[in-house]
Amino acid sequence: SVAIVGYGGTIGKKCKIGAVSSIPARSQLEAGAFYAGVPLTKIRSGGGGDSDEDEEEEWWWGLLVLRVVVASPFLFFVALVYAVLLLPGYIVVKELDENVGSRPLSYFSLFLWYQIFQYLKLVVAISYKWLFIGKFQEGIVDLYNLGPWANSFLLQALAHSGCAELYLGTPLYSFLLKIWGATVGSRCCILSRWIFEYDCISLGNNVVVFTDVSIFGHTFGDDGTMEFAKTCVGSNVIVYAGGFLTRMVTVDDNVTIMHNTAVLPGESLPMGSVWAGSPAKCVQKR
């Protein structure tokens, strides 16, 4: 996520690149290694990546097929539901136009029904979450199946197709996150839509999350797996724009995470500290 790749370089097989990273031009990245940061830093050396495992099936092709297979019938179903929801509005407009002869009134009725339609889509998203998905469970899943990953992707597409984004930064958006399964404390201001796997996310009291902050409950493995785990944020925490938090991250109380800061999986940020950079480093302790 938010990685910049320069020209003329080589990225080795099974190489991992962290969020909010910049790869200089003509870089030679070791196979199987893990890189992150600005400037780019090697976090962990790899195993080379040139073993017999290279002959195994490339799992990302399966991921691409999964997106197409799952999304196509789902989007067709959503389009069908939306068409049924819009049908009453069309009938009302047609009747007003033909029988009353008031075109302004018919346009106003169409506008009013469209606004109602946005809230109906929100109801569809909430219903889909609890009727077809339930709670996201911690653990490791295979990306080839049609389980948690597909549900996470589809729920995000559906949840923000209605009026949810109108409430960003308000107590109503915190309330919506609670309905979708997240744990959200009091007096939180959440300005970002990029919160995934709601049941794995826990936010304390007085948390401020600025725009374009990503808070995930998952990471991907290089063996075609996806791991779900808790991401916990304490109270009186500020996450500035572009921050990135993923699974098994624990943020204690009174922590500040600066702009474009990527917190690595499993990182624990102690109380009263200030973090910046990619990967995140403690720059101040209060």
Side-chain angles (χ1 to χ4, degrees):
S1 177
V2 201
I4 301 174
V5 182
Y7 66 91
T10 301
I11 300 177
K13 191 176 181 67
K14 295 187 177 181
C15 180
K16 294 182 180 179
I17 301 169
V20 197
S21 300
S22 178
I23 304 175
R26 301 186 180 87
S27 296
Q28 304 294 319
L29 304 189
E30 177 187 343
F34 176 37
Y35 295 84
V38 181
L40 195 70
T41 303
K42 182 192 290 187
I43 306 300
R44 185 174 64 248
S45 297
D50 295 325
S51 63
D52 295 337
E53 294 181 357
D54 293 349
E55 302 300 324
E56 68 184 9
E57 183 178 6
E58 303 290 2
W59 64 266
W60 47 83
W61 285 106
L63 179 60
L64 178 62
V65 173
L66 180 64
R67 281 180 177 265
V68 175
V69 171
V70 174
S72 298
F74 172 79
L75 295 177
F76 174 77
F77 170 75
V78 171
L80 183 62
V81 171
Y82 288 174
V84 172
L85 292 176
L86 283 173
L87 185 60
Y90 171 77
I91 294 175
V92 170
V93 170
K94 186 176 180 181
E95 289 295 322
L96 287 173
D97 204 18
E98 292 181 354
N99 300 330
V100 181
S102 175
R103 191 170 294 274
L105 182 60
S106 63
Y107 287 158
F108 174 75
S109 300
L110 181 61
F111 171 77
L112 182 63
W113 179 252
Y114 179 76
Q115 300 307 314
I116 296 174
F117 175 58
Q118 302 304 311
Y119 289 91
L120 290 176
K121 289 197 291 185
L122 189 58
V123 172
V124 171
I126 295 171
S127 302
Y128 177 78
K129 168 64 166 69
W130 293 112
L131 291 177
F132 298 99
I133 299 179
K135 283 192 172 185
F136 287 99
Q137 302 294 332
E138 295 185 59
I140 300 176
V141 298
D142 189 346
L143 284 173
Y144 285 109
N145 65 35
L146 304 182
W149 176 84
N151 283 327
S152 176
F153 167 72
L154 297 175
L155 178 60
Q156 291 302 316
L158 185 57
H160 291 280
S161 64
C163 59
E165 293 188 16
L166 296 176
Y167 301 124
L168 287 172
T170 71
L172 283 174
Y173 192 71
S174 298
F175 178 70
L176 283 176
L177 291 179
K178 291 179 182 179
I179 292 178
W180 281 319
T183 300
V184 183
S186 61
R187 299 177 62 83
C188 290
C189 178
I190 301 172
L191 296 165
S192 175
R193 58 169 291 187
W194 302 110
I195 297 180
F196 291 77
E197 293 84 43
Y198 304 107
D199 305 285
C200 296
I201 306 301
S202 175
L203 305 178
N205 301 322
N206 303 311
V207 174
V208 180
V209 177
F210 280 84
T211 56
D212 296 325
V213 170
S214 301
I215 303 180
F216 297 163
H218 75 265
T219 52
F220 294 100
D222 57 7
D223 56 351
T225 59
M226 181 180 189
E227 183 173 355
F228 293 93
K230 286 281 188 181
T231 300
C232 299
V233 177
S235 299
N236 305 312
V237 172
I238 300 177
V239 186
Y240 285 100
F244 188 93
L245 286 74
T246 186
R247 67 168 182 86
M248 296 181 67
V249 165
T250 302
V251 182
D252 286 341
D253 298 343
N254 304 309
V255 169
T256 300
I257 300 174
M258 301 304 294
H259 304 82
N260 299 322
T261 298
V263 184
L264 298 179
E267 193 83 58
S268 180
L269 280 54
M271 181 182 299
S273 55
V274 178
W275 292 72
S278 175
K281 295 181 180 179
C282 183
V283 296
Q284 180 179 345
K285 291 184 178 179
R286 292 177 292 191

